[in-house]
């Protein structure tokens, strides 16, 4: 991907999804952005791509890979990573988060940001370190202090997963406003205008946003 055009402040501070998943223990399919490790490519801004057996951790947004012995490791210094492609699924690296691109029609789709929050008074990292950054009554991300987390060490924590949807077009990630919908679907400007006069605000959950986009992508 040659360019990523962002309304940065608006995109990553948009209202949260209307739906969330909660549980008493974190399952593998929530901890990772892909259901399993797959063949993938890491695309950098300033160096040659790297390949391997990859996944992405939703808790600390680290790129995970497995070595020749099957040991899970985390990629160091991912700051220059532009995107990661795993089994044909593209993830954009924006503001230290990975957004999953879900194509809909042509160069238009949605980009989904997953946030996994936990409630715990003690969070143990991959090397046995503890972070006392939140009390049991608070909700906090496990990415505190730049620590890397292991699924087996956090599996029993209660959690809340939220997925927030954004519009995606030709490398640009945008909040789902009337103006941005009309940029994505210029042939449906009148229909979009009429819809927003009635509904005022577009959904930000993945399912609702995708359904609305398909309505105008036809």
């Amino acid at each position: 991907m040659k360019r990523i055009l962002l309304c940065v402040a608006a995109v990553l501070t948009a209202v949260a999804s209307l739906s969330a998943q909660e549980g008493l223990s974190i399952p593998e399919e929530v901890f990772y952005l892909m259901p399993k490790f797959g063949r993938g490519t890491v695309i950098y801004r300033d160096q040659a791509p790297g390949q391997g057996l990859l996944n992405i951790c939703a808790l600390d947004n680290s790129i995970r890979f497995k070595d020749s012995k099957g040991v899970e490791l985390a990629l160091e210094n991912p700051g220059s990573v532009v995107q990661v492609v795993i089994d044909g699924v593209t993830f954009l690296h924006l503001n230290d988060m990975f957004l999953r691109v879900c194509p809909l029609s042509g160069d238009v789709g949605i980009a989904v940001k997953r946030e996994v929050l936990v409630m715990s008074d003690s969070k143990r990292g991959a090397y046995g370190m503890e972070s006392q950054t939140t009390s049991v009554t608070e909700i906090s991300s496990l990415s505190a202090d730049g620590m890397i987390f292991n699924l087996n060490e956090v599996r029993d924590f209660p959690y809340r997963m939220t997925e927030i949807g954004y519009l995606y077009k030709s490398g640009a990630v945008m909040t789902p406003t009337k103006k941005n919908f009309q940029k994505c679907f210029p042939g449906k400007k009148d229909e979009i205008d009429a819809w927003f006069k009635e509904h005022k605000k577009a959904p930000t959950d993945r399912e609702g946003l995708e359904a609305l986009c398909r309505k105008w992508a036809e």
Side-chain angles (χ1 to χ4, degrees), residues 115-133:
E115 295 179 343
V116 179
L117 307 176
V118 298
M119 292 179 289
S120 174
D121 60 350
S122 177
K123 295 177 287 297
R124 187 174 297 276
Y127 299 100
M129 298 180 295
E130 289 190 352
S131 172
Q132 301 285 352
T133 58

Side-chain angles (χ1 to χ4, degrees), residues 202-213:
T204 56
D205 63 288
R206 175 177 177 173
E207 293 78 9
L209 182 60
E210 184 173 348
L212 190 57
C213 285

Side-chain angles (χ1 to χ4, degrees), residues 43-49 77-82:
I43 300 173
Y44 296 90
R45 184 179 302 107
D46 51 8
Q47 64 187 76
N77 302 320
S80 63
V81 173
V82 175

